[in-house]
Amino acid sequence: MTPFSDIQALIIDMDGVLWHGSQPLPGLIDFFDTLRAKHLRFILATNNATLTAEQYVTKLAGMGVRIGTEQILTSAMATASYLSREVDPATSRVFVIGEEGARAPLLEQGFTLTDTFDPVNTQTNADIVVCGLDRTLTWQKLANATYTLHAGAKFIGTNADTSLPTEQGMTIGNGAILAALQAATGVKPITIGKPEPIMYRQAMALLDTDTNKTIAIGDRLDTDILGAVRADIRSLMVLTGVSSEEDLKVSDFQPTWVMQDIRAITQALQKT
């Protein structure tokens, strides 16, 4: 039995699975052509909160793959959806560390965003701090977030990845920013992205599928694979990203399957 003989849907990571930075990985177009030929539903689910769904659609189009925004789920989108169920967006103000990808989903859910902290006119301050990866991060942003957290705001992280793979190598991830804010305030964030199961559960709801007929595909043990374990779904790890076969040897948990890359996944699909 191949990994794909009894499934209906795939939840697929992007960075390290489909591309490195702006470079598509070999076999990308064939992979998506095969998904469609096999009538497999999929969601592209990423912890990277810097881009909007529309920007990811554009990025994939530039690589020769056409998808819709409804097939994208970022940790920022998952965060906005989670918060909209926890609080009333119409009466909630959010301070955001993050880029357009973090801000846009909150605005779409009806939240009011603020970039400042006022020690005098406290009614204008945020009651939630949302932190995503921010490549324009400044001391002032960190300071205002710290003031807001000290004033009692909820602390939400889009994801806790401490590192981010790029074409130049590994660089700082959002988890390092969260750690700095936690060290400064003593407030521990609630994180939404993988390895928390929230994103996978949201993706399954969007796909109208269940744990028995869904597979998560990723490259990173501590996020993609651990998240699948916590969400009680099977997982497939590719070796084109962060985690390696050596990492597997010392891990307390394992993916259901390991394949070299998306070309190997395509070959397995074509055999079903």
Side-chain angles (χ1 to χ4, degrees), residues 59-78:
K59 180 171 183 172
L60 279 158
M63 297 178 179
V65 175
R66 297 194 178 278
I67 64 167
T69 55
E70 72 281 0
Q71 294 171 301
I72 300 287
L73 179 63
T74 71
S75 63
M77 295 166 65

PDB file of all heavy atoms in Angstrom, residues 59-78:
ATOM      1  N   LYS A  59       3.259  34.123  -5.984  1.00  0.00           N
ATOM      2  CA  LYS A  59       4.563  33.459  -5.976  1.00  0.00           C
ATOM      3  C   LYS A  59       4.495  32.129  -6.717  1.00  0.00           C
ATOM      4  O   LYS A  59       5.372  31.817  -7.543  1.00  0.00           O
ATOM      5  CB  LYS A  59       5.027  33.241  -4.530  1.00  0.00           C
ATOM      6  CG  LYS A  59       6.371  32.555  -4.409  1.00  0.00           C
ATOM      7  CD  LYS A  59       6.878  32.559  -2.972  1.00  0.00           C
ATOM      8  CE  LYS A  59       8.269  31.934  -2.876  1.00  0.00           C
ATOM      9  NZ  LYS A  59       8.874  32.081  -1.540  1.00  0.00           N
ATOM     10  N   LEU A  60       3.468  31.349  -6.441  1.00  0.00           N
ATOM     11  CA  LEU A  60       3.329  30.064  -7.118  1.00  0.00           C
ATOM     12  C   LEU A  60       3.061  30.231  -8.608  1.00  0.00           C
ATOM     13  O   LEU A  60       3.573  29.456  -9.425  1.00  0.00           O
ATOM     14  CB  LEU A  60       2.212  29.255  -6.454  1.00  0.00           C
ATOM     15  CG  LEU A  60       2.632  28.537  -5.166  1.00  0.00           C
ATOM     16  CD1 LEU A  60       1.437  28.228  -4.297  1.00  0.00           C
ATOM     17  CD2 LEU A  60       3.406  27.260  -5.494  1.00  0.00           C
ATOM     18  N   ALA A  61       2.277  31.237  -8.964  1.00  0.00           N
ATOM     19  CA  ALA A  61       2.023  31.490 -10.388  1.00  0.00           C
ATOM     20  C   ALA A  61       3.327  31.780 -11.123  1.00  0.00           C
ATOM     21  O   ALA A  61       3.523  31.361 -12.267  1.00  0.00           O
ATOM     22  CB  ALA A  61       1.043  32.643 -10.557  1.00  0.00           C
ATOM     23  N   GLY A  62       4.229  32.502 -10.453  1.00  0.00           N
ATOM     24  CA  GLY A  62       5.531  32.785 -11.041  1.00  0.00           C
ATOM     25  C   GLY A  62       6.379  31.546 -11.232  1.00  0.00           C
ATOM     26  O   GLY A  62       7.344  31.553 -12.000  1.00  0.00           O
ATOM     27  N   MET A  63       6.021  30.471 -10.522  1.00  0.00           N
ATOM     28  CA  MET A  63       6.730  29.195 -10.655  1.00  0.00           C
ATOM     29  C   MET A  63       5.987  28.228 -11.561  1.00  0.00           C
ATOM     30  O   MET A  63       6.374  27.065 -11.686  1.00  0.00           O
ATOM     31  CB  MET A  63       6.920  28.564  -9.268  1.00  0.00           C
ATOM     32  CG  MET A  63       7.790  29.386  -8.329  1.00  0.00           C
ATOM     33  SD  MET A  63       7.926  28.612  -6.687  1.00  0.00           S
ATOM     34  CE  MET A  63       9.009  29.789  -5.846  1.00  0.00           C
ATOM     35  N   GLY A  64       4.880  28.713 -12.159  1.00  0.00           N
ATOM     36  CA  GLY A  64       4.132  27.890 -13.098  1.00  0.00           C
ATOM     37  C   GLY A  64       3.006  27.087 -12.505  1.00  0.00           C
ATOM     38  O   GLY A  64       2.466  26.186 -13.154  1.00  0.00           O
ATOM     39  N   VAL A  65       2.616  27.392 -11.260  1.00  0.00           N
ATOM     40  CA  VAL A  65       1.553  26.654 -10.576  1.00  0.00           C
ATOM     41  C   VAL A  65       0.416  27.609 -10.242  1.00  0.00           C
ATOM     42  O   VAL A  65       0.632  28.634  -9.598  1.00  0.00           O
ATOM     43  CB  VAL A  65       2.064  25.992  -9.282  1.00  0.00           C
ATOM     44  CG1 VAL A  65       0.917  25.330  -8.526  1.00  0.00           C
ATOM     45  CG2 VAL A  65       3.152  24.980  -9.601  1.00  0.00           C
ATOM     46  N   ARG A  66      -0.793  27.271 -10.659  1.00  0.00           N
ATOM     47  CA  ARG A  66      -1.943  28.127 -10.393  1.00  0.00           C
ATOM     48  C   ARG A  66      -2.847  27.486  -9.345  1.00  0.00           C
ATOM     49  O   ARG A  66      -3.299  26.346  -9.509  1.00  0.00           O
ATOM     50  CB  ARG A  66      -2.734  28.383 -11.686  1.00  0.00           C
ATOM     51  CG  ARG A  66      -1.921  29.132 -12.727  1.00  0.00           C
ATOM     52  CD  ARG A  66      -2.778  29.686 -13.846  1.00  0.00           C
ATOM     53  NE  ARG A  66      -1.974  30.433 -14.783  1.00  0.00           N
ATOM     54  CZ  ARG A  66      -1.588  31.700 -14.618  1.00  0.00           C
ATOM     55  NH1 ARG A  66      -1.961  32.344 -13.518  1.00  0.00           N
ATOM     56  NH2 ARG A  66      -0.853  32.300 -15.515  1.00  0.00           N
ATOM     57  N   ILE A  67      -3.073  28.232  -8.266  1.00  0.00           N
ATOM     58  CA  ILE A  67      -3.977  27.792  -7.212  1.00  0.00           C
ATOM     59  C   ILE A  67      -4.828  28.985  -6.792  1.00  0.00           C
ATOM     60  O   ILE A  67      -4.592  30.120  -7.216  1.00  0.00           O
ATOM     61  CB  ILE A  67      -3.218  27.222  -5.990  1.00  0.00           C
ATOM     62  CG1 ILE A  67      -2.381  28.318  -5.330  1.00  0.00           C
ATOM     63  CG2 ILE A  67      -2.352  26.033  -6.386  1.00  0.00           C
ATOM     64  CD1 ILE A  67      -1.867  27.931  -3.969  1.00  0.00           C
ATOM     65  N   GLY A  68      -5.803  28.747  -5.914  1.00  0.00           N
ATOM     66  CA  GLY A  68      -6.637  29.823  -5.404  1.00  0.00           C
ATOM     67  C   GLY A  68      -6.264  30.176  -3.972  1.00  0.00           C
ATOM     68  O   GLY A  68      -5.617  29.391  -3.268  1.00  0.00           O
ATOM     69  N   THR A  69      -6.676  31.360  -3.537  1.00  0.00           N
ATOM     70  CA  THR A  69      -6.371  31.789  -2.169  1.00  0.00           C
ATOM     71  C   THR A  69      -6.992  30.865  -1.134  1.00  0.00           C
ATOM     72  O   THR A  69      -6.486  30.748  -0.013  1.00  0.00           O
ATOM     73  CB  THR A  69      -6.858  33.227  -1.918  1.00  0.00           C
ATOM     74  OG1 THR A  69      -8.257  33.314  -2.235  1.00  0.00           O
ATOM     75  CG2 THR A  69      -6.080  34.224  -2.777  1.00  0.00           C
ATOM     76  N   GLU A  70      -8.088  30.197  -1.513  1.00  0.00           N
ATOM     77  CA  GLU A  70      -8.748  29.284  -0.568  1.00  0.00           C
ATOM     78  C   GLU A  70      -7.899  28.041  -0.296  1.00  0.00           C
ATOM     79  O   GLU A  70      -8.220  27.266   0.618  1.00  0.00           O
ATOM     80  CB  GLU A  70     -10.120  28.875  -1.088  1.00  0.00           C
ATOM     81  CG  GLU A  70     -10.132  27.918  -2.263  1.00  0.00           C
ATOM     82  CD  GLU A  70      -9.854  28.576  -3.622  1.00  0.00           C
ATOM     83  OE1 GLU A  70      -9.657  29.802  -3.652  1.00  0.00           O
ATOM     84  OE2 GLU A  70      -9.850  27.847  -4.628  1.00  0.00           O
ATOM     85  N   GLN A  71      -6.839  27.859  -1.049  1.00  0.00           N
ATOM     86  CA  GLN A  71      -5.956  26.707  -0.853  1.00  0.00           C
ATOM     87  C   GLN A  71      -4.702  27.070  -0.066  1.00  0.00           C
ATOM     88  O   GLN A  71      -3.780  26.270   0.032  1.00  0.00           O
ATOM     89  CB  GLN A  71      -5.578  26.110  -2.216  1.00  0.00           C
ATOM     90  CG  GLN A  71      -6.776  25.495  -2.946  1.00  0.00           C
ATOM     91  CD  GLN A  71      -6.449  25.104  -4.367  1.00  0.00           C
ATOM     92  OE1 GLN A  71      -6.055  25.926  -5.190  1.00  0.00           O
ATOM     93  NE2 GLN A  71      -6.608  23.825  -4.664  1.00  0.00           N
ATOM     94  N   ILE A  72      -4.688  28.271   0.504  1.00  0.00           N
ATOM     95  CA  ILE A  72      -3.566  28.750   1.318  1.00  0.00           C
ATOM     96  C   ILE A  72      -4.029  28.937   2.762  1.00  0.00           C
ATOM     97  O   ILE A  72      -5.094  29.492   3.020  1.00  0.00           O
ATOM     98  CB  ILE A  72      -3.026  30.097   0.795  1.00  0.00           C
ATOM     99  CG1 ILE A  72      -2.526  29.961  -0.648  1.00  0.00           C
ATOM    100  CG2 ILE A  72      -1.937  30.638   1.717  1.00  0.00           C
ATOM    101  CD1 ILE A  72      -1.237  29.202  -0.796  1.00  0.00           C
ATOM    102  N   LEU A  73      -3.215  28.478   3.710  1.00  0.00           N
ATOM    103  CA  LEU A  73      -3.457  28.753   5.128  1.00  0.00           C
ATOM    104  C   LEU A  73      -2.112  29.079   5.764  1.00  0.00           C
ATOM    105  O   LEU A  73      -1.254  28.217   5.886  1.00  0.00           O
ATOM    106  CB  LEU A  73      -4.097  27.557   5.829  1.00  0.00           C
ATOM    107  CG  LEU A  73      -4.377  27.725   7.327  1.00  0.00           C
ATOM    108  CD1 LEU A  73      -5.382  28.841   7.572  1.00  0.00           C
ATOM    109  CD2 LEU A  73      -4.865  26.413   7.942  1.00  0.00           C
ATOM    110  N   THR A  74      -1.934  30.332   6.156  1.00  0.00           N
ATOM    111  CA  THR A  74      -0.724  30.729   6.865  1.00  0.00           C
ATOM    112  C   THR A  74      -0.982  30.738   8.367  1.00  0.00           C
ATOM    113  O   THR A  74      -2.137  30.758   8.815  1.00  0.00           O
ATOM    114  CB  THR A  74      -0.256  32.128   6.437  1.00  0.00           C
ATOM    115  OG1 THR A  74      -1.175  33.110   6.965  1.00  0.00           O
ATOM    116  CG2 THR A  74      -0.187  32.257   4.919  1.00  0.00           C
ATOM    117  N   SER A  75       0.099  30.757   9.142  1.00  0.00           N
ATOM    118  CA  SER A  75      -0.084  30.817  10.596  1.00  0.00           C
ATOM    119  C   SER A  75      -0.764  32.121  11.004  1.00  0.00           C
ATOM    120  O   SER A  75      -1.471  32.161  12.019  1.00  0.00           O
ATOM    121  CB  SER A  75       1.255  30.661  11.317  1.00  0.00           C
ATOM    122  OG  SER A  75       2.142  31.714  11.002  1.00  0.00           O
ATOM    123  N   ALA A  76      -0.567  33.184  10.216  1.00  0.00           N
ATOM    124  CA  ALA A  76      -1.249  34.446  10.510  1.00  0.00           C
ATOM    125  C   ALA A  76      -2.746  34.333  10.260  1.00  0.00           C
ATOM    126  O   ALA A  76      -3.563  34.857  11.033  1.00  0.00           O
ATOM    127  CB  ALA A  76      -0.651  35.573   9.664  1.00  0.00           C
ATOM    128  N   MET A  77      -3.132  33.677   9.177  1.00  0.00           N
ATOM    129  CA  MET A  77      -4.550  33.452   8.903  1.00  0.00           C
ATOM    130  C   MET A  77      -5.172  32.583   9.992  1.00  0.00           C
ATOM    131  O   MET A  77      -6.291  32.846  10.449  1.00  0.00           O
ATOM    132  CB  MET A  77      -4.715  32.788   7.528  1.00  0.00           C
ATOM    133  CG  MET A  77      -4.270  33.662   6.364  1.00  0.00           C
ATOM    134  SD  MET A  77      -4.085  32.728   4.808  1.00  0.00           S
ATOM    135  CE  MET A  77      -5.791  32.229   4.504  1.00  0.00           C
ATOM    136  N   ALA A  78      -4.433  31.563  10.406  1.00  0.00           N
ATOM    137  CA  ALA A  78      -4.929  30.699  11.488  1.00  0.00           C
ATOM    138  C   ALA A  78      -5.063  31.468  12.791  1.00  0.00           C
ATOM    139  O   ALA A  78      -6.008  31.251  13.567  1.00  0.00           O
ATOM    140  CB  ALA A  78      -3.986  29.505  11.667  1.00  0.00           C
TER     141      ALA A  78
END
